[in-house]
Each structure stands twice: as C-alpha cells, then as structure tokens.
Amino acid sequence: MATAQLTTDRLAEKHRPTLDQALATIRTRAYWSPHPEHPKAYGADGSLDAAAGLAAHQAVLNTRFELDQPGTDDWTGRETSPYGPALGIEYPHPDIDVLLPAMRAGTAAWRDAGPETRALVCLEILSRISARSHEFAHAVMHTSGQAFVMAFQAGGPHAQDRGLEAVAYAYEEQTRTPAGRVDWSKPQGKRDPLELSKEFTPVGRGVALLVGCNTFPTWNGYPGLFASLATGNPVLVKPHPRAVLPLALTVRVAREVLAEAGFDPNLVALAVERPGEGIAKTLAVRPEIRIVDYTGSTAFGDWLEANARQAQVYTEKAGVNTVLIDSTDDYRGMLGNLAFSLSLYSGQMCTTPQNLLIPREGVATDQGPKSYDEVVADLAAAIDGLLGDDTRANGLLGALVNPDVKARVEAAAGLGEVALASREVVNPEYPDAVVRTPVVVKLDGSKPDDQAAFLAECFGPVSFAVSVDSTEQGLDLLRRTIREQGAMTVGAYTTSEETERAVEEVCLEESAQLSLNLTGGVFVNQTAAFSDFHGSGGNPSANAALCDGAFVAHRFRVVEVRRQS
C-alpha cells in the first residue's frame, strides 16, 4: 500500500461535517447542497473559474488521456461533440484479463479501511471534482449536447450531490451493524454463561461495472460509482463511446485521491471500447463482475437483467412519462410549466413528459372552460413563445445528442395531426449543431393505431397530446402506461380532491413518482438530491431508485467472525 499523504485525521477534519450533514438531510428530506450551482461561485479556494475551466478543457483536446492503469493494449476514442467539433482524445483500451486482477489486488486494504474512511475518501474525490466543475461542464456539454448552463449544473453540482447522497446511504447501511469487537454472553442458569467475542465486517461483493450513458454521464453515473466504492468494491467505469471524457476525468481524479490516501489507485479504472466492440456485453458476464449499474435502452437493460446472473444489476431503462390534465386554477402557469418541461434539453431526459392526456370535452380553468383543441393550441403557443428567441432557445434546447433523435423528430409528424411543428434553430457559435424545437402531435386515446404510437417511448423533443373520453379513461390509460411501459415521472393537474386522490392511488399502486399541479419554478423532469427519489424501482422503467437504502444495501455483505472468549 502506498504511503498516505491524505491521512484519515486530515480527511475527517475536512469532510466529516459534510458527511454528517448529508446523513441528517437524507432523514429530513430538506433542501441542502454543499456544491454551489451558480458558475460565478467558483474561482476561489483553489477551484477553477470560468476561464480556467475552459482552458483546462481545451488542454485535454487532441491528446492522449494517460491514466497509468495496467493492461493497456491499445488507444481508442472517436468522440465528436453534438455541437460539431471532434474532441480528438485517445483513451486507454483495456486488456481485461490484466486489468481485472489488478483491480482486485487492492480490495483487502480498502475493505479493512472501514466505512468511515471509505466515505471520507469518496468525499475528497467529490470535493476535487467540484473544484473543477467548470472543466467538467465543458466535457459534459461537448459529449451530451446539453447547453452550457445545464451541463454545468446537472453535470456538475447536481451530479456531485447525487454522488454524495449515495455515499451517505452507503455509510448509513454499513454502520447499522456495530463495528469492532462485540462481547456476547448467554446466561446458563447455574452454569457459567456461554461467551463469545464477535466481529462484523462489511465486505464488498466484488468488482462493480458502471455502464455510462450518453445524455447524463455524471448525473446518472455518480450514484452507482460512489455507492459501490463506498461499500468496498472496485469500480470499472465503461463510458458510452460518445460520452467518455466526463467519466474519464472522474476516473483520473479518483485514482489520484486513492493513491494519496494510501490505497491502490486501481480500485477505480476506465474501460473504453473500440468502435463497435460492444465491450459492455463481454464485461457484464465476467465472473469477476459482481455489480452492474446501467442507464440506457430497455433492450440492453433487459439483457443485463437476464444474463448477468452472477451480478447484482441496477438498471434505469426507458419509460413513457405521462401528464393527466383534468383541471387547473392557474392555466397560464400550467402551460408555462409544461412548455419548459417539454423543451428543456430538447426533451432528452428520462424524466421528460411524453404523453399529455386531455379529456375531449375539455378542462375547467381559471380562465373558463377550455376545449381539448384549445388546450393543445395554447400549449403550442406557449412553447413557441418560450423558444421564439433563438438565443434563448439555444440556451434551453442544447443540441440533439445523436442522429436517432433527429430521425424520431422528423418521423413524428407522420403519426398524427401536428399541433406544433418542430423547427430548426441555428446556433451561431456552433453552426454544425443540430438544434430542433419540440413537435407536438395530436393522437386519439381510443384508437389502437394511435395507442401503438404513444404507448412506446419516443425519446427526444416529441410529445403526444392524447384525447381521452373522460378523466376516468385518462386514469385507466395512465395505469396501463405505467404498468406496461413504466414511467420515471407522472404529472397531473386537477382542482378536484377526488381526482387528486385517484391519481395518487394509481401512482402508489404502480410505484411511480408523482408531481401535482406544478405551475412555478419546479418542473416534473427535475429532482433534487437528498430529497426527491429518481425513479422508484417498482415499475418497468427502472429496477432501482436514486437513491435509497436498497440502492446500496446489496452492494456489500456483513461477514461475522466469532471467537471463543
């Protein structure tokens, strides 16, 4: 084991208050974040300001990304920014037969360090990532297509919050059982008591495989990465081939901190695949891989759940998110909230609403009754108003992450009557960026052909305004959608207590997270770490929630050693 530059005492002095606050907050579910979300908050105390972050990002372009990890047999990487430029970065390609044994070599020392030291090391990693949030923002922006502000917030402080949240849950679950020696005595009446000493040690399951996603590489990646690392497991990070850089930077920081803390840096390693190699499928069934975290398509998520039988598999897959519109006492606020939710990051969020269920007879509002056609037309106008200025539109939409999204936007117009056509937006700074506004298509909830369209996920800036015979039919369709297709989020607008209870009952029975009557600055497709659960693990869209006790508890086992006293 390397000589520690970061001692446990130094780590505790620096990070124990943060860990304690995180532990308190997951119990109260209050708002808290140690990571500032405003870009101007950075630049002091060793953190990178905007200019330094951009310079750091530019310095890594067109270079070979050295990690000094064992088993490198080649160099690979073909990332191209959704905004146009090729990143030109080469990453180490792994010889898995060499890398996996090397990763396991440091496990015993990491296990013996205990839950607190592991948590504190993880917090040091997050702290150093936080100081480089501006650099990470450019990495996320130019791999995911998010606009800069969103890339900064979601890819930086919000992702770091989710990582810290996972560490807090990991520490909480591991310390439920007492650490150190426990003396046990069983009375035997007139005879001497039976006496033993017992020790209980949390032991990681083995190497964890993190399969990264293209759209939110850090936000979706950090919970699994830090949950596994904090519970004693080495972590092999396999990024999406179009979004390597944010997770490669993460691995580099983690390896540096581990080494400085006296642990084997190979506890965290990177596995970048050659074009078309499909290395995730090979890795997932290796006997050394005992945990898999995955965000992406339902097809591969289902394959992992069926085939990676030696591992504990955590998946976030596709779903069909739905909003039921029954009535509202703030019509303008509802339209504005929905318009923003449908537009943010071009609808390329797993939480973006897709289906809007609207009664044919219309809805009651504070502006009088509105027919189905009026609601749809007014929503289209609200989206147009929100995105009418190209500068603002670019800031909200970002760029389409891949050609498949563009193809879905173009095909959507053929599925039904177009209430709002998608338009091309030019980004003057990045003229090669593919930027499109949302398309809204009218469909009939009673027609089988239309049902086939809206009951399948159409990832991207595509929404369906689905007419239903009544609110009751809408509730039935909502239940069916969640049960058959899954949903990461559900929204509803109603002024009726009876309808509110009915929607709530559907979501409780089908395990879907519900947002009611959002008309202000909180949106159905946004969740706050330490308070909101992302997914539930109880419907087909995901088999786990970010984050809860179940997300971390199966990443380790408690092993007992008994000794005769």
Side-chain angles (χ1 to χ4, degrees):
M1 188 167 67
T3 302
Q5 302 171 42
L6 287 171
T7 65
T8 301
D9 288 345
R10 285 181 59 193
L11 289 169
E13 181 181 3
K14 184 176 180 181
H15 297 301
R16 184 70 217 203
T18 302
L19 178 60
D20 288 340
Q21 184 62 58
L23 290 167
T25 308
I26 61 174
R27 299 184 192 111
T28 64
R29 317 307 295 180
Y31 171 77
W32 173 71
S33 171
H35 305 114
E37 64 178 10
H38 199 290
K40 291 184 179 179
Y42 296 80
D45 302 323
S47 63
L48 300 182
D49 62 12
L54 176 59
H57 171 70
Q58 291 173 334
V60 80
L61 301 178
N62 302 305
T63 65
R64 180 165 281 186
F65 198 96
E66 300 281 356
L67 282 175
D68 192 30
Q69 66 183 31
T72 297
D73 61 9
D74 197 3
W75 294 84
T76 187
R78 293 187 179 181
E79 289 163 292
T80 297
S81 168
Y83 290 93
L87 302 191
I89 305 171
E90 288 188 315
Y91 302 95
H93 179 274
D95 180 337
I96 298 302
D97 291 326
V98 174
L99 182 57
L100 285 175
M103 293 185 69
R104 297 172 69 185
T107 302
W110 187 237
R111 176 200 67 215
D112 294 344
E116 181 174 15
T117 296
R118 289 196 294 270
L120 295 173
V121 170
C122 286
L123 265 62
E124 176 66 17
I125 296 169
L126 285 165
S127 176
R128 295 195 189 184
I129 291 171
S130 176
R132 296 167 61 177
S133 290
H134 272 284
E135 179 185 1
F136 273 76
H138 289 286
V140 171
M141 174 182 176
H142 286 290
T143 52
S144 72
Q146 295 175 32
F148 178 79
V149 172
M150 184 177 187
F152 182 91
Q153 293 181 342
H158 296 173
Q160 296 151 23
D161 284 349
R162 282 298 187 189
L164 175 55
E165 181 184 34
V167 173
Y169 273 106
Y171 179 84
E172 181 101 323
E173 293 299 323
Q174 289 175 98
T175 54
R176 289 187 185 280
T177 304
R181 176 172 169 163
V182 175
D183 293 323
W184 180 87
S185 179
K186 178 180 178 181
Q188 292 288 296
K190 294 181 179 180
R191 291 178 292 170
D192 291 338
L194 298 176
E195 294 183 341
L196 294 174
S197 67
K198 303 182 181 185
E199 289 181 278
F200 304 93
T201 303
V203 177
R205 293 177 65 96
V207 180
L209 172 66
L210 170 64
V211 183
C213 70
N214 195 174
T215 49
F216 289 89
T218 55
W219 198 98
N220 279 109
Y222 282 6
L225 191 162
F226 285 100
S228 288
L229 192 60
T231 50
N233 304 282
V235 182
L236 181 59
V237 177
K238 205 299 292 183
H240 191 284
R242 285 192 288 259
V244 178
L245 182 56
L247 290 177
L249 290 169
T250 302
V251 169
R252 177 180 278 174
V253 173
R255 290 175 63 83
E256 291 171 354
V257 171
L258 285 163
E260 290 179 31
F263 297 102
D264 190 337
N266 295 321
L267 288 166
V268 179
L270 185 71
V272 181
E273 61 188 321
R274 299 185 183 97
E277 184 177 8
I279 196 174
K281 212 167 201 178
T282 302
L283 286 169
V285 296
R286 292 275 303 212
E288 302 96 329
I289 300 298
R290 304 305 304 278
I291 300 167
V292 177
D293 285 281
Y294 168 77
T295 300
S297 71
T298 295
F300 191 56
D302 288 347
W303 185 92
L304 286 170
E305 291 171 2
N307 291 278
R309 304 301 295 274
Q310 84 292 348
Q312 181 72 37
V313 177
Y314 299 88
T315 59
E316 182 192 315
K317 300 177 287 188
V320 176
N321 302 317
T322 303
V323 176
L324 175 66
I325 302 175
D326 169 73
S327 54
T328 180
D329 58 8
D330 185 358
Y331 187 59
R332 176 176 291 185
M334 179 189 77
L335 294 174
N337 193 281
L338 286 173
F340 188 92
S341 298
L342 299 178
S343 302
L344 184 62
Y345 184 33
S346 301
Q348 298 171 121
M349 303 172 70
C350 63
T351 49
T352 300
Q354 174 179 298
N355 295 342
L356 309 174
L357 307 182
I358 308 167
R360 296 180 214 283
E361 62 192 25
V363 301
T365 80
D366 56 317
Q367 298 183 16
K370 300 287 184 179
S371 69
Y372 163 81
D373 287 331
E374 287 176 312
V375 173
V376 178
D378 290 345
L379 177 60
I383 296 172
D384 258 344
L386 178 68
L387 302 176
D389 177 77
D390 281 2
T391 300
R392 186 178 188 186
N394 276 304
L396 283 174
L397 295 170
L400 299 188
V401 70
N402 61 52
D404 291 340
V405 178
K406 180 174 178 283
R408 281 192 288 272
V409 173
E410 294 171 347
L415 297 175
E417 179 185 346
V418 176
L420 176 66
S422 177
R423 71 178 180 89
E424 182 176 354
V425 178
V426 175
N427 187 316
E429 186 176 1
Y430 298 102
D432 292 332
V434 178
V435 185
R436 297 289 187 274
T437 62
V439 58
V440 179
V441 178
K442 291 182 176 180
L443 294 177
D444 190 325
S446 299
K447 292 183 177 180
D449 288 347
D450 286 8
Q451 288 180 0
F454 67 73
L455 285 176
E457 186 192 38
C458 193
F459 184 77
V462 178
S463 294
F464 300 118
V466 180
S467 62
V468 293
D469 292 336
S470 63
T471 294
E472 290 70 25
Q473 188 197 19
L475 287 166
D476 291 341
L477 193 52
L478 172 63
R479 184 188 299 276
R480 177 186 172 189
T481 303
I482 301 170
R483 184 173 293 176
E484 294 181 2
Q485 305 298 324
M488 295 297 293
T489 56
V490 173
Y493 290 89
T494 182
T495 57
S496 163
E497 291 185 5
E498 181 181 358
T499 299
E500 183 174 319
R501 287 194 299 271
V503 176
E504 187 175 352
E505 188 62 26
V506 169
C507 290
L508 289 171
E509 290 180 357
E510 303 300 332
S511 295
Q513 313 293 15
L514 171 64
S515 297
L516 287 164
N517 298 318
L518 298 183
T519 57
V522 176
F523 304 95
V524 66
N525 44 349
Q526 296 175 319
T527 59
F530 307 107
S531 184
D532 296 321
F533 292 109
H534 177 73
S536 71
N539 68 65
S541 64
N543 71 2
L546 306 179
C547 290
D548 60 9
F551 185 69
V552 300
H554 288 289
R555 296 174 191 264
F556 70 95
R557 289 292 183 262
V558 176
V559 177
E560 176 184 1
V561 176
R562 303 191 298 180
R563 293 182 174 87
Q564 188 72 48
S565 297

